[in-house]
Amino acid sequence: MNKLSIEDIAERAHNKAFSKMLYIKDDIKRINKEIKTGGNGSIPVDMLRKSVTNMKHDLQTWEYIAKLIETDDFREPI
């Protein structure tokens, strides 16, 4: 198996972080719509609200990780 270059690893990390943030944002939108309609009955609305809160915390964490990736020098070997 070929090892990735540091530049490739940094780019993959960047892509994964931003992909994860988009996924979380889409989930937050979807669940907020579900909350507005009263839910689908399988999960209580209060549980959906807690899920959104947790997703927002996850989003903040991924935004921090993305900032670190963007601002730090990842050119040094691991």
Side-chain angles (χ1 to χ4, degrees):
M1 181 167 96
N2 295 338
K3 282 196 162 191
L4 294 172
S5 70
I6 297 301
E7 289 80 15
D8 288 339
I9 293 171
E11 184 172 341
R12 288 171 58 93
H14 170 273
N15 292 343
K16 287 182 180 286
F18 281 88
S19 173
K20 187 67 173 180
M21 289 187 305
L22 288 173
Y23 178 77
I24 292 171
K25 287 176 184 179
D26 285 346
D27 271 357
I28 290 171
K29 286 179 189 175
R30 180 182 53 80
I31 292 176
N32 277 331
K33 285 180 185 176
E34 211 172 308
I35 290 169
K36 286 180 184 176
T37 62
N40 63 8
S42 63
I43 301 173
V45 173
D46 63 324
M47 192 73 110
L48 293 173
R49 287 189 182 109
K50 289 178 185 176
S51 293
V52 169
T53 299
N54 289 332
M55 286 180 201
K56 287 179 179 179
H57 292 160
D58 287 345
L59 182 59
Q60 289 175 350
T61 302
W62 279 104
E63 287 170 341
Y64 179 77
I65 291 168
K67 182 179 179 182
L68 290 175
I69 292 168
E70 291 291 311
T71 58
D72 204 2
D73 186 8
F74 281 92
R75 304 295 183 250
E76 295 190 24
I78 299 171

